[in-house]
């Protein structure tokens, strides 16, 4: 299992990449069982009012969350690239420049999760 974590503006977002042999979550919309790599992460976007207030840098931003959309991938490299892009995109959606997002890929043993 890999955690792909983005940090920017004093906050962070972490998604999970399940690898072959690991049990990915199963729920409506989850990719087919035959997909060797499964990425799951929250998605959010800025809203004018309502939502949840999040501190991003010097600003308070109202964000609304979408249901996690699991995605399946055939290769580890494709899955990691998509995870990094997803994390950066979420920050861009709340006004952070993609280049300001630090992304880490962390190997975690399933028993630790």
């Amino acid at each position: 299992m890999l955690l792909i974590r983005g940090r920017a503006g004093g906050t962070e977002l972490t998604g999970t990449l399940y690898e072959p042999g690991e049990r990915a979550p199963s729920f409506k919309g989850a990719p087919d069982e035959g997909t060797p790599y499964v990425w799951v992460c929250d998605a959010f976007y800025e809203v004018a009012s309502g939502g949840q207030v999040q501190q991003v840098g010097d600003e308070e931003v109202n964000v609304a969350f979408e249901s996690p959309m699991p995605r399946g991938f055939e290769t580890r490299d494709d899955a990691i690239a998509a995870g990094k892009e997803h994390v950066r995109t979420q920050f861009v959606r709340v006004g952070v420049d993609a280049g300001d997002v630090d992304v880490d890929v962390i190997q975690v043993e399933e028993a630790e999760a």
Side-chain angles (χ1 to χ4, degrees):
M1 173 183 312
L2 298 176
L3 299 179
I4 300 177
R5 178 179 54 214
R7 292 183 176 145
T11 192
E12 65 181 55
L13 171 66
T14 304
T16 305
L17 177 61
Y18 296 89
E19 299 185 283
E22 296 175 338
R23 188 173 9 156
S26 60
F27 50 87
K28 185 177 180 180
D32 296 335
E33 288 182 23
T35 306
Y37 297 90
V38 177
W39 167 250
V40 179
C41 188
D42 287 335
F44 52 85
Y45 54 95
E46 185 173 4
V47 293
S49 64
Q52 198 172 53
V53 176
Q54 184 73 32
Q55 187 74 32
V56 180
D58 297 347
E59 296 183 40
E60 287 188 346
V61 178
N62 291 36
V63 297
F65 287 85
E66 300 172 348
S67 297
M69 293 298 297
R71 294 178 54 197
F73 296 90
E74 292 298 321
T75 70
R76 188 176 202 251
D77 288 343
D78 287 346
I80 290 172
K84 289 178 175 181
E85 181 63 25
H86 175 89
V87 168
R88 282 190 183 98
T89 297
Q90 302 319 297
F91 280 97
V92 168
R93 293 170 92 182
V94 294
V96 175
D97 185 271
D100 292 340
V101 181
D102 293 322
V103 179
D104 298 316
V105 178
I106 304 155
Q107 179 74 51
V108 177
E109 297 304 318
E110 194 169 10
E112 295 177 34

